[in-house]
Amino acid sequence: MAEFLSPLLNLFPEGLRELILILIQIMLIVLPLVIAVAYTTYAERKIIGYMQVRIGPNRVGPLGLFQPFADVFKLMFKEIIIPSAANKFIFFTAPVIILFAALVAWAVVPFDDGWVVADVNAGLLYVLAVGAAGVYGVILAGWASNSKYALLGGLRSAAHKIAYELAMGFALVGVLMASQSLNLQDIVRAQSGSIVHWYWLPLLPMFVVYFISGVAETNRAPFDIAEGESEIVAGFHVEYSGMGFVLFMLAEYASMILISALTAIMFLGGWLSPFQGTFLESAFAWIPGIIWMFAKIAVLLFLFIWFRATFPRYRYDQIMRLGWKVLIPVTLVWIVVEGVAVYFKLGPWFA
Amino acid sequence: MSFIKLLFLVFASSAVLSAFMMVTTRNTVYAALYLVLTFFSTALTWLLLEAEFLSIVLILVYVGAVMVLFLFVVMMLDVNTAATREGFVRFLPLGAGVAIIMMLEMSLVLGPKLFGLDVYPAPVPKPADYSNTEAIGSVLYTVYVYPFEIAAVILLVAMVAAIMLTLRRRPETKYQNAAAQAKVRREDRVRIVKMDSETRVDDIAKQGDGA
């Protein structure tokens, strides 16, 4: 990617070039991500609208396409209300932490072969660690608001994130065993061959567990007990208005897209074409890998929205049971199965 | 001064400062957050040592799991800070004595005699494709496999013990059996009764007339 930026980079002194290049790459990720977040909210309202036999937003611009911008401007000009007994510093830091966690993980996400900001060897671990740090935003927002509903939301989220993070970690152990690498690019390369070489097939239980845990990690329905508007108003962000609320929404949708991207990378072959290894391969060879990547992200995002429109919210004890007693044992068993398969070099995946 | 050295000084001073603040602050939630910051700064100094596996695992385990549970407990506690500061003067000599002994021990063990640059020369930077994780794994499961497994068993024992200590049998508690709930079929809950349609109203009226 550095090649076609080189005339621009030559304008800068030698020592600064790398820094400028990294900054440009960051902008190339963050700006489209923010636009994607805006249109994911639009897509969500439209899709859920159609699923519930409504039209959804259709007033602002053609087909309501400018609705996200109208929402953002409305929220930006709203008054920011600080609860009188809130801990002001943490109250304002919490949304920043949660947004930070939703954005930094993108540094290691490869969009195409070699299209990654930081090609880290321990990329998989980095993604897990950053996701783990994101829990603090929700807990601290709940605590700093000094409101009972918010505190309850924060506590619920702390308990359920620990459970699902474990399941997520174990599911990724499966990916690690299959690909023999922690580098996200190597993980995608290890899946090349054909659509059945992608890890969704040999690691089907892991794939399901990972995606379910991903939905839980992002606090999305049916796991949105941290918000739980029918029980605790809006949970951890009940006291936030204006920009604070925008940051929470931005972080929620950004981490939805992140989880979709990671699922695509780990289990659905990342940038690889689904027609690889078939007679259609050459017919679709002109499509760049990043398009396949975006298509996979879009399909998984649609699942997120579909879940929200379909499932009622889990009760707290049901969430705990599913996390600890169903998902974690499933991954543990499949790790053993996979260990046997790796030992006997079961083809075509573990050869 | 190189950039890396500057980074090291920033992270190291942040680690020491936040550790100090953790001990001295009165708000328990702040104390937990300072501890998180200490872990973070330590992880970053380890990253400067090219120990990326340990560094990331420190954040994953301690920041991501252990401290979340800490915060979970601390947020629900109503700690009386006045009571914890009682007897500060009385215990000061003992505390100071323990602190001095620990400082002495640390300076003896970690001094230049055992860990100086002539004993442990600065490691040569590894090439970019060197995987720290693989290196640790290959040693951990071959050379140190017994100590590693024994540590794992000790942890397991501790876990079982902790669960046994907190386990209370409470037969009066009511809870749902999720498996039984999921097993329920329509036939268990709904009974469809077939019954003949009722006779017409004017038939009844006719009967009434006849009477």
Side-chain angles (χ1 to χ4, degrees), chain A residues 160-216:
Chain A
H160 100 251
K161 286 213 173 168
I162 296 250
Y164 285 84
E165 222 152 62
L166 277 176
M168 213 168 187
F170 277 127
L172 293 187
V173 167
V175 175
L176 167 66
M177 283 167 70
S179 65
Q180 316 262 316
S181 172
L182 284 169
N183 185 315
L184 294 183
Q185 289 203 62
D186 290 344
I187 289 175
V188 174
R189 284 188 202 118
Q191 298 176 53
S192 58
S194 70
I195 194 164
V196 292
H197 282 76
W198 299 353
Y199 290 149
W200 68 269
L201 186 60
L203 304 180
L204 189 62
M206 303 291 202
F207 171 49
V208 175
V209 167
Y210 183 82
F211 197 63
I212 293 176
S213 314
V215 176

Side-chain angles (χ1 to χ4, degrees), chain A residues 138-159:
Chain A
V138 177
I139 304 178
L140 291 180
W143 180 76
S145 306
N146 202 4
S147 144
K148 288 186 179 63
Y149 292 131
L151 184 65
L152 278 175
L155 288 177
R156 283 177 174 200
S157 132

Side-chain angles (χ1 to χ4, degrees), chain A residues 87 90 121-122 125-126 128-129 132-133 135-136 139-140 143 151 154-155 158-159 162 165 180 182 315 317-318 321, chain B residues 27 29-30 33 36 52-53 56 59-60 63-65 67-69 71-72 75-76 128-131 133 176 178-179:
Chain A
N87 185 321
I90 296 184
N121 268 341
L125 275 175
Y126 171 85
L128 271 177
V135 190
Y136 284 91
I139 304 178
L140 291 180
W143 180 76
L151 184 65
L155 288 177
I162 296 250
E165 222 152 62
Q180 316 262 316
L182 284 169
R315 222 170 41 213
D317 62 312
Q318 291 170 330
R321 181 181 162 275
Chain B
N27 188 328
V29 173
Y30 277 3
L33 291 180
V36 171
E52 79 269 3
F53 177 75
I56 294 177
I59 291 186
L60 186 60
V63 176
M67 287 315 293
V68 172
L69 288 178
L71 262 184
F72 187 87
M75 281 193 329
M76 287 195 292
D129 60 340
Y130 176 78
S131 174
T133 317
Q176 277 124 348

